[in-house]
Structures are given as structure tokens and as C-alpha cells.
Amino acid sequence: MEAVRFENVKFLYREDGDYAVNGVTLTVGEGEFVAVLGRNGSCKSTLAKLINALLVPSEGKVTVFGMDTSDEKKTFEIRKNAGMVFQNPDNQTVASIVEDDIAFGPENIGVPREEIGRRIDFALDAVGMQAFRHMTPSRLSGGQKQRIAIAGVLAVLPKIMILDESTAMLDPKGRREVMDVIKKLNKERGMTVILITHFMEEALEADRAVVMHRGEVVMDASPEEIFSRAEELEAYNLTLPRAAYISKKLAEGGMPVKGAFNAEALAEEICASLQKA
Amino acid sequence: MRIVAKGLTYTYNPKSPFASQALKGVDIVIEEGEFFGIIGHTGSGKSTFVQHLNALIRLTGGSLTVGDYDLADKKCKFLELRSKVGMVFQYPEYQLFAETVEKDVMFGLKNFHKEMKEEEMRTAVREALERVDLNYEEVKDKSPFELSGGQRRRVAIAGVIVTRPEILILDEPAAGLDPLGKKEIMQLLHAIHGSWCKTVIIVSHDMDEISENCTRAAVFSEGKVVMEDTPAAIFCRSDELVSLGLDIPVTAKCARLLKERGIEVQTDFTCDDFIGRVLALWKERGKADAQ
Amino acid sequence: MLNDVTFGQYYPTRSFVHNMDPRAKIVFMIAYIVAIFVADNFLALAAVTLFLIVAVLFSRVPFGRVLRSVKMILFLILFTAVLNLFFYSSGGEEHMIWQWKFLSLSWESVVNMIFLALRLFLLVMGTSVLTLTTTPVALTDGIESLLTPLKWIRVPVHELALIMSIALRFIPTLMDETNRIVAAQKARGADFESGGLIKRAKAVVPILIPLLVSAFRRAEDLGDAMDARCYSGAKGRTKYKKLVFTWRDLLGLLLLGALIAGVVLFNIYFGGKFGIIDYFMQ
């Protein structure tokens, strides 16, 4: 089933300004893991906010499980289905204690008390943060804070999880933690994931990558395919993941290596071609 | 200016239930002219250490000298020291405050060089903005808040280098930027490093960044320096880094995997060197086979 | 990392007092304050003091820590006491020690001063026990719960409580941010320690503006995050945490009853501040 559908969507921040989103048509299937790539300022975040009705298109239509985001009566239902984690780990928690913060979403949608307790257990378990239930978020690391934010979204039991540059402010360890959690949610629970990012390496974890440039979708394919079109990527001011760059340079030097996107594949390729030589 | 730290210790909130020892005896020497990298987890003490270098955190244990400045000496001229040791914090764009870019960049000059004439200051501001690849005429009268994120970061860096510090310290200068933005910032730092600024110190989580840019680096862990060497030598010890929970560059990861299969690549772990060495290996094998 | 102190003066440990219902503790505090002001003789104050000592013992907070909170306002206590010493003049002629123009010193005023200082001292110590043993969050919850009846007269209790708890939540974040901005401006040569009043006020601008900008940015982010998590006001909302009243609270309230009864009894039998003096003089 279709989780999200954009139909020729345009969006303006100001009447006299340029289109931030300029005619995007896109569908995301249920259970899919889609990475949205693009330079800073390519309006990837605007795209994200159009999904859960934080923004409403100026032209065109966005639907979430068939519900139109411009229909105000549906806003609540849409947000229940499409949860969102933001960029800054410090700006999304409302409470000073982890469990109280996770309870915030379920409280808002009127979940009974006992059920909220169960959902907190479930959400903390899903992000591997059971031990931090009674801690203060401000004392946690960036990666841990983002996992709490994910748990807060999970407790509402959404079908779609949107991550709006949620790894941009984290250190590599935090980024890995968050990516592991997201991958698990997608693989084990069939969660639809829309990951907005400018880290090319992260896109490799997705089933599909969409490249945004100046408010338009310019590439839409599997990450492997996208990274094999290096010249095109360069035109959109994006760079290859480092391993892909190395394998490309090796191939240019005449070595018979196929495109490799991570260190493991790269080592494999180098090894194979050295043995062939 | 040469930086020499011996047995540096520091404790936050001493004598309270929240006391935490951030530095547990740091020994380090950073020579003039280096492009030095500082690696470590959040909470490893690296930020605490760099803030000692311009006396933002006052010395409480051990000894530290920066050039001729002895930071243990209470009579040390701290303001003068700060004009010579510039520091750019993480996300520096959030520290801009003045109504125009020019005034913001001038802030440091007005604090450090009260006797300077307005005209001289303008020239210095122009030079600083041009150093960070911004067009002086275009941006000088704009509000910093009108600029894009990347431009704001450049303005913030200009605001620090305007006093021509001999040592420039940057905490995660590329954090939050996209790959191209990162590359541009690093190029900019190399250009600054080639001028009056003799030493650049960057704190970074990004191992590729360290291996590509630094002449030497130190690894901090739990308030101590556990390694201090060239990036090539540090990343040779990738097992230790991994056991500390730190990342290693893609090249080092790949070299490690190749070594497991009996292929030794002698590299300094920069991308270009790695590519060159692998290609050389391949050609060698080709020749050997042909014979 | 820069400032790893929890906001307020909460002393983290487990104890009988820590585990009490915050509502009970707040009611307690109000009654305790009333008791201090109802008490009009030294014996009654002694009863209050005894009660305070018991409370501190049960809270397992070191006495030194509680006393430290008094240190901050010691000057204020001394100042009021000294003023009171010289300007209190309702005493009769027979106890006069010294007099000069409008200044006078009598035995009454000395006793009065001691009495006043004691009251203030007990007041501060008592409130400290509350804030040392209760997290700001629990306090907010308690206040919200106690104010619930006000909902009937359309006071937006839920919204007020939410604002308070968000404010509390952001205090450490903004404190960190302030420290960072201060450090960054200091690195650019800013001087916050010297100069006259105007110079110092001006020096604050480079801190205040980035701080304000950041607070607005955070508020905007938080608003989006709350919207995304389906927040739409108090209507149709449930609450996860219920405050539970336990035997501890009951026991505490019984003790409190005893205290009030004691104070009232002492007041009746040794009425008046000088009751005790008169009693021993007879």
C-alpha cells in the first residue's frame, strides 16, 4: 500500500519568494526505507514537514495513507500515523525525565494510563534505552537523546517514521546508534522510514535514495545506482561515499574493480583483482 | 608559539556531589607550525583541554606554557594571550550578535586593540572576510541573521581570525555541514595555516578529516592522552582505536581487512596515497605474473 | 559538559522525605510556615525546631548542606535583626538598657531580635528541606495537582503546569548555551569583569542577543516537535503519572498535627514572647 504520495507539490514560504519545493511527485510504499539526499538548502526538510502537515502545500496534494494533509480534520490522524524526529536533540524533549517525555505523545492522543506504561516499555526496549527510564535527558549523549526522541515518537505507534536530519548534529558513535535503531525498526517491524540526510554513507542503508536539488527531485533510484552515476551527483554538488570514490579512482587507474560502497566491499574487490592480476 | 602541557588536571564542580574529573594528567607538546588534530569521545576531556590553551579555563593543576606565556603565573597577560590564541567554538554561527557583519567581525579588534583607528579596523575586517571567501562589499552591511548557515559560519570564523592569532583552535569546524561544505571549510583552514597563523588545532570526530588534513594528532580518552603521533602512525594502531570505541578512516578499515587476507598496503591512510599504493601493488603483481 | 549541575538545589539520595508525595510536602511546608508565625514564644519555636531537626534527619541530607542555604541570606537575617534591635520601641521603661534620640535598646528589643532571627532562620531551613528533597519536576506536579480546583474557575492549570515544566526542562540547556556563548565572546576578548555599571551592562549585549535568538529558535523547534507529537491542548489528554499518597505522607501529616497542637498549647500556657521569662522570673 502507498504510505505517502506527493502529487505535483509546490511550496512557497513567502508569497513573493521562490518555490522551496517546486513540483515534486513522489510515492513511498508501506515498509519502504527511503533516504532523501541533497545539499544544505536544497529544501529537504520542507519536504519532510509537508508529510505530517506541519506545512501544507501551496499547490498540489500530499496524502498519507490516502488522507489529504490540507484537510484539517485529518491532521491529528495523519500525525498519529507519521511520526517525526528532528535535527537538534536538545529541542524536542518536553519533560525533565525520560519516561515522562515518552509519555507525552500517548497522553496527547488520550491513551489510558496503564497502556501508556506498556508503551513506554515497548518504546524504550525498541531503542535499547530501558536503563535510562528515570534519567534526565539533558545528561545523556546526543545519540542517546535522539534515541529517546525516537522512542517518544514510537510510543504513539506510527506506521511512518520521518527523520529530518536527525543524525546531522551527532558524533559518529551517536550516528551509528541511531542508524542501527532505524534499520531494526524497518527490518523487524516493517516501519516505513523516510530519512532526510546529507551523509551519503547513510543512504546506503536505505532501499531507495531520492536526490533533491533546488526544490526538485532530480534522482530517484537504488543507492547503489545513484552512487554509480558520479558525474550526475557532482552536478548536484554531492560527493560520493569515500569508499565509492576510492573504487572509482582505482577503476580509472585501470584496475578491474566494480563499484564498492563500503570498506568491506572495497577490500573484497581489491583482493579479487589483485588475485586475478 | 610552542604549546607544552605537563600533568594537566581539571575537575568540574569540585567538592560537590556532581564533581567530575575531566583531565587526569595530560602531557602534550604541540610544535609551532603544526596542523594538529585532537580526537576523542564526547567527555574524553578534549574540550576542557583546548579551553585551557587561551585561559578560558584557568589552570588548577599541572603546568602549561603557550609560547612565552606561563599560564600558571597569576601575572600572565591573559587578554594578550587570547588575542594570539584564537578559538572557534562548535556551531560558532550561534554566537553572532551585532546588527551588521562588519560590526560583528570588528568585535574582537575593539576588545583587543582599543587604540586602533577605525580605518585600520575596516581594513582588517575586509581582509578577514576575504580570507574566508566572502565578498566584503556584499556582506558587510547585512545582518548576520540574513545569511545562509554556511556563510554565517564563515563570518564567525572571520570574527576570530581578524586579530591574526598565531594559534587557531577550532572545535568541530565542519559539524553539521554537508560534504562539500566540509571540504570548503578545510581548504579555508589550510589557506589560513599558510599565513600569519602558524598553528592550527582542530578537534574532530571525523577520522577521515584527521587523516587527510593533520600533520600530527592526539587521542584523548577518559581525561588522558593515550596516543600522540602522526595520523599514519595512529591509524596503524586501528585495533586500539576500535577498542576505545572510536572510528577509523575508511582507508584504514580497508587496509585492515586486506591485511587479514595477507595483503599489506603501506600507506599513510590519506585517500590519494591509498589509491596510489593499491594501484602500484596491482601493477607490480601484473609484472610479476607477466614474467 | 561545561555546567553539569542540576538546576536548583536538589540533593540526590533516597530517603523517607524524598519519597513523600510532593503534594503532602507542599501542604506540610505551608502548615510549617503557619506554625512558625503562630508561635509567639520560645517554647513553641523550640517545638518547631525539634520538628525541623527530625525532618532533616529523616531526609538524610547532611546538616551542613541545609545550613549552607541559610548562609546565602545570613546577611538579610542579620540586617533585619539589627534594624529591629534599635527601632523596636514598644517596650516599657523598666527594661530599657540604653537610649539616644530615636534609637533605643531595651531587653524587649533584644529578645524580640533573637525571636525574629530565629523565625527567619527556621523559615529558610524549612523551605530548603523541601527543595533539597524534591525535584523541580515533582514540585511542579504537586503544584499542578493542588491547583486543580482552580480549573473550575477557568484557570488554565494544565497549560501553566506545562509551561513551568518546559521552562524547568530548558534551564540546563540554556545554562549550557550561556556558558558556551560567554566562553566564545571571552575568546574574542570580551571583558565581563571590569568597568563601571554602564560598561558592564553593554558587555552583556553580545551574550544576550545570541541567547535570545537561540531561545526563539529552540521554541520554534519545540513547537514543531510538540505538534508532530499530536499535542492539541488539555482536551482529551490523559496523564501517565499519578501522584500517590502513601503511609509516609499520612505519618508526616500526623507529625504535623502534633506540631500545630504543640505550638498552640505552648501559646496558650506560656502566651506572649516574654511568657517564658516571666515564668522563670516568678
Side-chain angles (χ1 to χ4, degrees), chain A residues 39-40 139 169 171-173 176 198-199 239 242 246 249-250 254-256 263-264 266-268 271 274 277, chain B residues 18 41-42 91 176-182 205 208 212 247 253-254 257-258 261 263 271 275 278 282 289:
Chain A
R39 277 214 77 176
N40 287 351
R139 285 175 170 263
M169 293 178 79
D171 59 15
K173 186 161 169 271
R176 229 171 13 241
H198 59 234
F199 290 107
T239 55
R242 207 160 280 252
I246 294 173
K249 285 285 171 196
L250 289 177
M255 230 171 128
E264 288 74 21
L266 183 62
E268 193 78 37
C271 204
L274 282 180
Chain B
F18 306 107
H41 277 305
T42 319
Y91 299 101
L177 299 178
D178 56 31
L180 214 64
K182 280 189 183 166
H205 287 296
D208 291 309
E212 295 294 323
D247 254 9
K253 232 181 263 175
C254 191
L257 290 165
L258 286 171
R261 295 158 191 237
I263 301 167
C271 245
I275 293 165
V278 171
W282 178 67
D289 276 9

Side-chain angles (χ1 to χ4, degrees), chain C residues 69-260:
Chain C
S69 56
V70 182
K71 215 166 81 186
M72 286 188 280
I73 64 149
L74 195 64
F75 173 74
L76 196 74
I77 294 180
L78 283 177
F79 185 71
T80 8
V82 169
L83 270 189
N84 210 58
L85 186 62
F86 289 106
F87 292 98
Y88 180 85
S89 56
S90 75
E93 290 290 320
E94 72 261 41
H95 294 130
M96 197 59 71
I97 304 169
W98 174 79
Q99 197 166 19
W100 179 74
K101 290 189 181 164
F102 55 89
L103 295 176
S104 59
L105 191 65
S106 65
W107 280 116
E108 272 102 338
S109 57
V110 172
V111 172
N112 205 53
M113 176 202 78
I114 296 171
F115 200 76
L116 182 87
L118 251 176
R119 265 183 172 168
L120 284 172
F121 179 76
L122 286 172
L123 190 72
V124 176
M125 291 278 280
T127 38
S128 295
V129 172
L130 177 69
T131 49
L132 281 165
T133 61
T134 320
T135 60
V137 187
L139 267 180
T140 325
D141 280 351
I143 293 169
E144 182 186 4
S145 174
L146 288 173
L147 290 182
T148 308
L150 290 179
K151 272 184 190 156
W152 297 101
I153 54 164
R154 301 200 163 207
V155 176
V157 176
H158 158 74
E159 280 78 5
L160 288 175
L162 186 68
I163 290 170
M164 238 165 102
S165 82
I166 288 176
L168 288 173
R169 141 80 188 81
F170 271 91
I171 283 171
T173 308
L174 289 177
M175 249 159 63
D176 272 354
E177 177 110 52
T178 313
N179 282 332
R180 205 162 35 235
I181 296 171
V182 169
Q185 309 300 33
K186 264 190 178 169
R188 294 211 278 163
D191 177 11
F192 305 113
E193 277 121 35
S194 66
L197 198 64
I198 295 172
K199 192 174 166 248
R200 279 195 201 200
K202 263 175 125 175
V204 177
V205 173
I207 300 170
L208 224 50
I209 290 181
L211 195 61
L212 272 176
V213 172
S214 132
F216 276 111
R217 185 170 38 86
R218 287 181 194 280
E220 216 172 292
D221 282 2
L222 185 71
D224 271 350
M226 284 169 70
D227 273 343
R229 286 166 80 183
C230 306
Y231 182 71
S232 58
K235 224 179 127 200
R237 218 167 172 271
T238 46
K239 207 147 170 37
Y240 169 56
K241 273 213 177 135
K242 268 218 180 98
L243 298 171
V244 263
F245 204 77
T246 61
W247 59 273
R248 288 191 191 85
D249 307 300
L250 194 69
L251 193 69
L253 286 182
L254 281 176
L255 265 172
L256 190 72
L259 170 73
I260 303 251

